[in-house]
Amino acid sequence: MKKFVSCTIILLFLFTTQIKTCAAEPVQLDLKSEGAVLLDSDTGAVLYAKNANEKMYPASLTKIATAIYAIEKGNLGGIVTVSKNAASQDGTRVYLNEGEQAPLQKLIQGMLINSGNDAAMAIAEHLDGTVDHFAENLNNYLKNNIGVNNTHFTNPNGLFDENHYTTAMDLAIITNYAIKNPVFAEIFGTKVLEWQGQSWASTLYTHHRMLKGELPYPEVTGGRRVIQMKQNKH
């Protein structure tokens, strides 16, 4: 019998076999991340924590929240029209053009797998009209539907804003909620996706080194800098 264990981190760290003992006795891990939480997905029990409730800037981990919000609120087959604002986002993109149209689910894939900031913005504007309305609705959703209280997001993609923050604990709770959705879980665990856009055709690969096998650990089934893994239940 398998069960899921979610691990949420703020910065990338190496997942070691020591984690398997952390439920039985306290362990000190040499993590590079500033904050980390390991949850038992079934019970919500905290198996390991480091600076779990310290407010931090989540960067593109924000997209986990954007994705589950979009999946639960939106029509996955609905067509999104990309605005000039979305197409001109900084950072990692899937190179959407102004006026380009794509199904909502495809944009969620581009956002989670390739960390597309443009896709995230297009999703937000499609769902709620403006970034401000999106942020207000997303924050209410996270608080009322998922139950986190130390998170405040101002945008859908995690580009820096001093008022855009969360905690490792809140991210663990958000991710644990999200992976129970089969659409999210499938996208979260996608390693390779053929992408056909108006201006860009490419093969998208997950950015997560453990998921794509650069740091082999077969129990990892999904992730960004958040890791979802399966563990044998004894």
Side-chain angles (χ1 to χ4, degrees):
M1 181 177 176
K2 300 284 188 178
K3 68 175 181 178
F4 284 108
V5 178
S6 302
C7 180
T8 300
I9 64 180
I10 297 301
L11 300 175
L12 182 63
F13 71 91
L14 300 183
F15 202 92
T16 77
T17 55
Q18 288 176 290
I19 290 292
K20 294 181 180 179
T21 69
C22 66
E25 59 184 30
V27 295
Q28 297 298 319
L29 302 180
D30 183 19
L31 302 184
K32 295 180 180 179
S33 58
E34 295 179 23
V37 168
L38 178 67
L39 291 182
D40 183 307
S41 185
D42 292 333
T43 67
V46 179
L47 307 180
Y48 177 83
K50 174 184 176 182
N51 297 327
N53 295 307
E54 184 175 335
K55 291 182 180 178
M56 299 181 184
Y57 299 124
S60 64
L61 293 177
T62 303
K63 292 164 185 164
I64 294 169
T66 298
I68 187 58
Y69 172 69
I71 290 167
E72 292 201 343
K73 176 173 180 174
N75 173 5
L76 294 174
I79 300 301
V80 178
T81 301
V82 179
S83 71
K84 180 179 180 179
N85 178 47
S88 62
Q89 290 293 293
D90 293 331
T92 309
R93 295 176 290 158
V94 288
Y95 300 99
L96 300 171
N97 284 343
E98 180 183 359
E100 183 173 351
Q101 294 186 320
L104 177 61
Q105 182 162 346
K106 179 178 179 179
L107 294 182
I108 295 171
Q109 292 172 319
M111 176 182 66
L112 276 184
I113 299 168
N114 200 60
S115 199
N117 291 332
D118 48 357
M121 185 59 68
I123 291 166
E125 293 176 338
H126 173 74
L127 293 175
D128 292 309
T130 68
V131 176
D132 287 345
H133 286 154
F134 169 83
E136 180 180 1
N137 291 338
L138 176 63
N139 288 325
N140 288 335
Y141 166 85
L142 295 175
K143 181 176 181 179
N144 297 326
N145 291 54
I146 300 181
V148 297
N149 295 299
N150 296 307
T151 295
H152 183 266
F153 290 152
T154 62
N155 61 65
N157 48 32
L159 291 178
F160 177 76
D161 184 299
E162 63 181 9
N163 292 316
H164 188 99
Y165 58 81
T166 188
T167 66
M169 181 60 74
D170 275 9
L171 274 175
I173 293 169
I174 292 167
T175 306
N176 193 38
Y177 176 91
I179 62 174
K180 291 176 171 59
N181 181 291
V183 175
F184 179 93
E186 180 180 0
I187 299 173
F188 202 53
T190 299
K191 299 178 183 180
V192 181
L193 178 72
E194 296 300 322
W195 181 272
Q196 293 291 330
Q198 192 178 84
S199 67
W200 193 53
S202 184
T203 302
L204 305 185
Y205 297 92
T206 177
H207 292 188
H208 200 287
R209 296 179 66 194
M210 296 178 77
L211 184 59
K212 63 184 178 182
E214 288 183 6
L215 300 171
Y217 201 96
E219 287 83 358
V220 173
T221 61
R224 292 182 54 76
R225 283 170 293 179
V226 173
I227 300 168
Q228 174 190 336
M229 61 175 287
K230 290 192 292 186
Q231 181 181 29
N232 290 325
K233 180 180 284 186
H234 299 292

